[in-house]
Amino acid sequence: MQPAISDSAAVAIPAGASRQRFVLVGILLVTLLVAYLDRVNVSVLVADDAFLAAMGLTGDAVGKGWLMTAFLVAYGLANVVLSPLGDWMGPRKAMSLSIALWGGALLLGGAASSLAVMLAARVALGLGEGLQWPMQSKYVKNWFPPGERGKANSVWLVGLMIGPAAAMPFFTFVVRQLGWRPSFFLLAAIGLLPLSLVWWLTTDHPREHKGVNRQELEAIEAGLKAEAEREASLGAADFWSNLGSFALNYRFWLLTGFYSCFASVWWGTMSWLPSYLKEARGFSWSSMGLWSSLPYFVGGLCVLGFGWLTDRVGRRAPFAALSMAGAVAGIFFGARASDNSTSAALISLGIAAVAIGLPAAWTLAQQIVPARAVGAGAGMMNGVGNALSAFAPVLIGYFIRVSGGYEGGLFFLCALGLVGLACASVLALQRL
């Protein structure tokens, strides 16, 4: 999860300027929402008896976990390995390619007759969506003056919460009405929407778009020019100098430790919440979908509200610590609750609390890493965090199998949350 990072004053936008850049960021939001429909479908499918029987996964918690882990491993690798395609092809072609690739992965998933084929489909989906993510940032970098990027990023980043919130009940309804195989084909068809929007309504740069008038173009390019001049004034630094500026800073590794735990709790709960609610708590199929969406609706409010609050307070690490403390408390007491609705509500609040740490983490990265190396530092934090968190879903499955119940997996997440809390607390004591 890596937004474009920039630090610059705002550029005045003339009253008569067109607003095509905001149409673009709306398209990025739609693309991310559709991507989340595709990536979290297995979270619902592992609670579907027909799917589990077809894949030979009935009673196999570790095998269920691999469905999300396979996606995440490929997704993390693609973020690093395939993102240079955007520099070569341009974001429009690269993102169109990514959507086409994930559409093919969905068709393969719908036709899968074995777990091996389904895992291959999950890997292909991870490769496609891993290419899509960096292009979101590249579009914003090309289309928005630095002073507007925070606003632009907040629009599509909130899709991290809206996406799962919409995807859980939507996919629950689709699987219940159509079955698991047609649901894959429907998702592939829905993917034609962002593909059409990206291909026909966006361009790599605003100067290439017919809907951008002279006032908007001049304002955007003035901001980009000023940014380029500021970067040039900082002078060039070699790779090792940039790396050493943060890699030898223990605060950076504390932040990376927090972020790894944050991402592990995020992906772990997203992968297993529907299955837990249905199998361990006995919720009906429709109730499971509604309860599964609740934490992400609340989490979206947390991202926006606490992102604003951290700026007002002027400190971020306490909010990172609060996110892990809230996650641990909600998941632990939710797992221990005897009443099913109370359990679902507490776990939902715990998952929503995780979102408090999202804006805090990226702002801390900008604060700890020197300006000349913030891109490399953010990439390192994001890469390590996603690499480690990729194995959270399958490890949860392992602890479910070993302990004989879902509590083992949930307590594993609590342990990760405590590690993240410790890392953030040290940073908070240093008044970051």
Side-chain angles (χ1 to χ4, degrees):
M1 301 175 277
Q2 183 178 351
I5 297 175
S6 185
D7 193 12
S8 177
V11 173
I13 305 294
S18 55
R19 301 176 66 84
Q20 192 61 43
R21 64 196 185 283
F22 295 112
V23 174
L24 170 78
V25 83
I27 292 173
L28 297 183
L29 175 59
V30 170
T31 302
L32 186 62
L33 292 177
V34 174
Y36 258 92
L37 287 177
D38 300 340
R39 72 175 64 174
V40 306
N41 65 339
V42 299
S43 301
V44 175
L45 288 179
V46 294
D48 180 54
D49 294 335
F51 172 79
L52 295 176
M55 294 296 107
L57 288 174
T58 303
D60 183 2
V62 175
K64 294 177 186 178
W66 272 112
L67 289 172
M68 184 61 82
T69 292
F71 165 82
L72 290 173
V73 170
Y75 177 76
L77 288 174
N79 265 271
V80 177
V81 177
L82 297 183
S83 59
L85 281 176
D87 296 322
W88 175 59
M89 302 175 65
R92 173 174 167 267
K93 290 182 179 178
M95 187 175 283
S96 298
L97 174 63
S98 78
I99 298 171
L101 179 57
W102 88 49
L106 291 168
L107 294 176
L108 178 62
S113 57
S114 68
L115 179 60
V117 176
M118 183 59 67
L119 287 173
R122 294 296 292 172
V123 169
L125 181 67
L127 294 174
E129 295 201 1
L131 173 59
Q132 171 254 341
W133 181 271
M135 296 308 102
Q136 302 263 130
S137 288
K138 191 167 184 66
Y139 264 122
V140 172
K141 174 81 172 178
N142 290 351
W143 271 79
F144 284 83
E148 287 190 340
R149 287 183 192 149
K151 183 193 304 180
N153 282 322
S154 68
V155 171
W156 70 268
L157 275 173
V158 79
L160 289 171
M161 297 297 165
I162 298 175
M168 294 294 189
F170 171 81
F171 205 75
T172 299
F173 173 80
V174 169
V175 173
R176 184 178 184 179
Q177 296 299 318
L178 302 178
W180 72 268
R181 288 190 189 277
S183 70
F184 277 92
F185 303 138
L186 175 61
L187 290 176
I190 292 174
L192 296 175
L193 172 61
L195 179 61
S196 300
L197 293 175
V198 168
W199 186 257
W200 295 109
L201 299 182
T202 76
T203 57
D204 292 341
H205 299 277
R207 71 180 71 92
E208 301 164 352
H209 200 289
K210 295 180 180 179
V212 177
N213 66 10
R214 179 177 56 82
Q215 295 95 322
E216 184 179 24
L217 180 61
E218 289 178 351
I220 293 172
E221 295 194 336
L224 298 180
K225 180 180 178 182
E227 179 185 43
E229 291 173 349
R230 280 190 296 275
E231 290 176 349
S233 69
L234 294 175
D238 61 64
F239 170 80
W240 294 112
S241 176
N242 280 342
L243 180 64
S245 68
F246 63 86
L248 300 179
N249 185 344
Y250 75 93
R251 294 184 180 90
F252 172 79
W253 293 110
L254 285 171
L255 176 61
T256 301
F258 161 78
Y259 189 74
S260 299
C261 295
F262 161 90
S264 295
V265 176
W266 168 260
W267 287 115
T269 52
M270 185 180 294
S271 302
W272 284 98
L273 180 61
S275 182
Y276 170 75
L277 293 175
K278 182 172 181 288
E279 295 182 3
R281 291 295 178 172
F283 283 97
S284 67
W285 189 257
S286 57
S287 296
M288 177 199 74
L290 293 175
W291 276 111
S292 296
S293 69
L294 177 62
Y296 304 105
F297 278 117
V298 180
L301 297 177
C302 288
V303 168
L304 297 174
F306 282 92
W308 171 84
L309 188 58
T310 58
D311 286 340
R312 288 294 301 269
V313 173
R315 296 181 61 196
R316 279 81 187 189
F319 293 95
L322 176 63
S323 73
M324 289 293 96
V328 170
I331 294 171
F332 178 82
F333 289 110
R336 299 293 294 170
S338 57
D339 178 71
N340 290 336
S341 295
T342 301
S343 171
L346 288 173
I347 291 178
S348 294
L349 290 175
I351 298 171
V354 176
I356 298 172
L358 181 60
W362 289 105
T363 309
L364 281 169
Q366 297 166 23
Q367 185 176 350
I368 292 171
V369 180
R372 71 177 188 275
V374 73
M380 178 74 77
M381 184 181 83
N382 193 53
V384 171
N386 278 290
L388 294 177
S389 66
F391 293 94
V394 74
L395 286 172
I396 292 170
Y398 171 78
F399 283 106
I400 291 173
R401 184 174 70 183
V402 169
S403 65
Y406 279 85
E407 282 191 355
L410 293 175
F411 291 159
F412 166 67
L413 288 179
C414 291
L416 290 177
L418 289 174
V419 174
L421 173 60
C423 293
S425 296
V426 174
L427 294 174
L429 290 173
Q430 299 180 356
R431 305 196 63 79
L432 291 178

